[in-house]
Amino acid sequence: MIVAYFGSLAILLLSAFWEKDAFTGRVEPFVWSLDAFDDLITNTVYRTIALRTIAIAVLVTLTDALLAFPIAYYMARVASPRMRGVLTVAILMPLWAAYLVKVYAWRTILQGNGFIEWMLEPFGASAPGLGQILNSWLVLSYLWLPYMILPIYAGLERIPGSLLEASSDLGARSGTTFRRVVVPLVFPSLVAGSIFTFSLTLGDYITPDLVSDAKFIGNVIYDNSSLGNVPLAAAYSLLPIVIMIGYLLVARRLGAFESL
Amino acid sequence: MAESRWVRIGLRIATGGVLVFLYLPLVILVIYAFNPSRLQAWPPTGFTFDWFAEAAANPAIRRALGNSLLAGIGATSVALVLGTAAALAVQRFAFFGRHTVSFLFVLPIALPGVVTGIALRTTFQTAGISFGLGTIIVGHATFCVVIAYNNVIARLRRLPRTPEEASADLGADTWTTFRRVTLPGMGTALLSGGLLAFALSFDEIIVTNFTAGPGTQTIPMWIFAAIQRPTELPVVNVVAFVLILVSTVPVYLAQRISNGAGGSRI
């Protein structure tokens, strides 16, 4: 399986350099050319899409970190053991619910005559509707939020209470303890969670397609692959690969792998 | 450090807010499943079970469900066998490149699915393999293996080696020791890993779209297509409702297996 997987990645790498016949549109395997890369560099649309996707992936990761921290902290440090169990189940449930079901739910909420429009109606405003790029940010943040909560919760739970007591015994106020003790200790867990939120956003093409009309890297790859322009799709897919390998190497250095 | 009263209240409110955010979309879909109106508009106009009958009679849904179940079972079986073998190799034997292998095992889930998808598609095309259920299973197995591997290796790290050594001392050969000692020790890890792998396979669309080919549709693929046809939305609502119900089963089982502590590993 490992061989099949990495063999496929190798073929993907090679196929980025295959020639696409300009007249017949046929792809010639193992005939080499740099046309695909030329296309990607000269056409500014691809740069815009790449920057947009990365920007949304960063935004989603930050949003999820902000939303996840309070609930994870509540679970780890405030909630009773019973409540902790209940909340763990409450967070696992939406995680296991089908991906497309969740995207579809947001589609019905956001679209005209949906829940949001009904909420806004008394104020005389109408729903923004599908087609907003911010929809992608909202829905992707929703989808990957549990992936961020669970590692942060696990990370917070591993911090021994004695460390926090020591910090306050030494005269630190709770704000200082939080900033100087809690945050550094839980940071690897946050990075571990961010691998999921960042990577899953980077590669998604279904959600952007269903809730907005702004294309992501994944849409370009999928569309070109189905239209038969394999070299272009392959060349473009090298971008998320390079980004994610870089991200993983940094994450490993930050100690995130022990928190996975 | 005891959190002050205001911090606690703030955390409680934030927790409540996040839970509302997580559940609101699911609750809205559940309500829509019983909406008699063909038009998808809030608020619902009444209450009916009619769409359930229509969904149950839909041949495309039945076919897709069958494909999804077969793909899930196939991918999970492959993943459990290969994932267990790899975990045993990495954990039990020291060999050259052992640490690299464990890093490589993160890649199939850390790299975006769209990369796996196009890589496999191009490979199948180049090799002249025809698309269908078999290629779907291979596609799903790439990430299911990682799940199985992670669950098994986490268990192997905690299992003491002494029972295996005792078994060998008592004259059992390697295979008998594996079957009678190691395998039962990994039992629940295999179960929770298999459960998670099956659920991920059942839910997968990003890779599936690339490896399915024109003739074969899974449940997520059916939903994706049906969402974009307004007349089918009432039936989609019912399928969504059933899927939400079904997704509580693995959560319940995982809790039972781990006695409420931890759960399966991603």
Side-chain angles (χ1 to χ4, degrees), chain A residues 1 5 8 73-74 77 90 93-94 96 98-100 104 107-108 113 115 118 142 199 203 205 222 225 233 260, chain B residues 1 3 12 15 21-23 28 40-42 108 110 112 118 120-121 123 199 203 206 209 220 227 237 248 250 265:
Chain A
M1 207 66 223
Y5 182 75
S8 302
Y73 196 86
Y74 178 78
R77 300 271 313 151
M93 232 291 284
W96 285 73
Y99 163 83
L100 263 180
Y104 169 57
R107 208 171 131 94
T108 68
N113 295 322
F115 186 77
W118 177 74
Y142 171 83
S199 165
Y205 61 93
Y222 182 68
S225 160
L260 270 176
Chain B
M1 175 186 76
E3 285 73 18
R12 209 160 277 153
T15 303
F21 179 54
L22 283 176
Y23 278 90
I28 286 178
Q40 191 93 324
W42 192 267
I118 187 176
L120 289 174
R121 185 187 172 90
T123 307
D203 192 26
I206 305 260
N209 264 342
I227 285 175
N237 292 337
T248 58
R265 299 170 58 91

Side-chain angles (χ1 to χ4, degrees), chain B residues 172-193:
Chain B
D173 59 33
T174 317
W175 172 240
T176 313
T177 303
F178 174 74
R179 201 162 44 84
R180 304 275 301 266
V181 180
T182 317
L183 202 56
M186 299 188 301
T188 52
L190 288 175
L191 194 59
S192 58

Side-chain angles (χ1 to χ4, degrees), chain B residues 93-104:
Chain B
F93 307 105
F95 59 88
F96 177 71
R98 207 172 71 145
H99 293 286
T100 320
V101 169
S102 46
F103 179 77
L104 291 181

Side-chain angles (χ1 to χ4, degrees), chain B residues 76-242:
Chain B
T76 307
S77 319
V78 173
L80 284 179
V81 173
L82 296 179
T84 308
L88 281 170
V90 169
Q91 174 67 15
R92 293 287 193 249
F93 307 105
F95 59 88
F96 177 71
R98 207 172 71 145
H99 293 286
T100 320
V101 169
S102 46
F103 179 77
L104 291 181
F105 255 102
V106 189
L107 276 187
I109 47 169
L111 284 185
V114 68
V115 171
T116 313
I118 187 176
L120 289 174
R121 185 187 172 90
T122 311
T123 307
F124 291 145
Q125 261 170 354
T126 313
I129 298 168
S130 59
F131 291 97
L133 202 56
T135 48
I136 294 180
I137 290 177
V138 173
H140 290 187
T142 54
F143 53 84
C144 289
V145 163
V146 181
I147 307 294
Y149 171 84
N150 281 346
N151 274 276
V152 172
I153 203 156
R155 173 62 52 88
L156 285 177
R157 285 202 188 110
R158 286 203 307 270
L159 275 184
R161 295 291 295 273
T162 39
E164 287 180 11
E165 286 160 12
S167 163
D169 288 348
L170 291 169
D173 59 33
T174 317
W175 172 240
T176 313
T177 303
F178 174 74
R179 201 162 44 84
R180 304 275 301 266
V181 180
T182 317
L183 202 56
M186 299 188 301
T188 52
L190 288 175
L191 194 59
S192 58
L195 207 62
L196 184 55
F198 182 86
L200 283 183
S201 160
F202 198 80
D203 192 26
E204 221 295 328
I205 181 159
I206 305 260
V207 178
T208 317
N209 264 342
F210 282 94
T211 56
T216 328
Q217 210 174 32
T218 60
I219 279 286
M221 290 173 75
W222 178 84
I223 297 178
F224 181 69
I227 285 175
Q228 307 181 49
R229 293 190 293 264
T231 52
E232 291 220 54
L233 291 184
V235 185
V236 177
N237 292 337
V238 170
V239 174
F241 170 69
V242 173

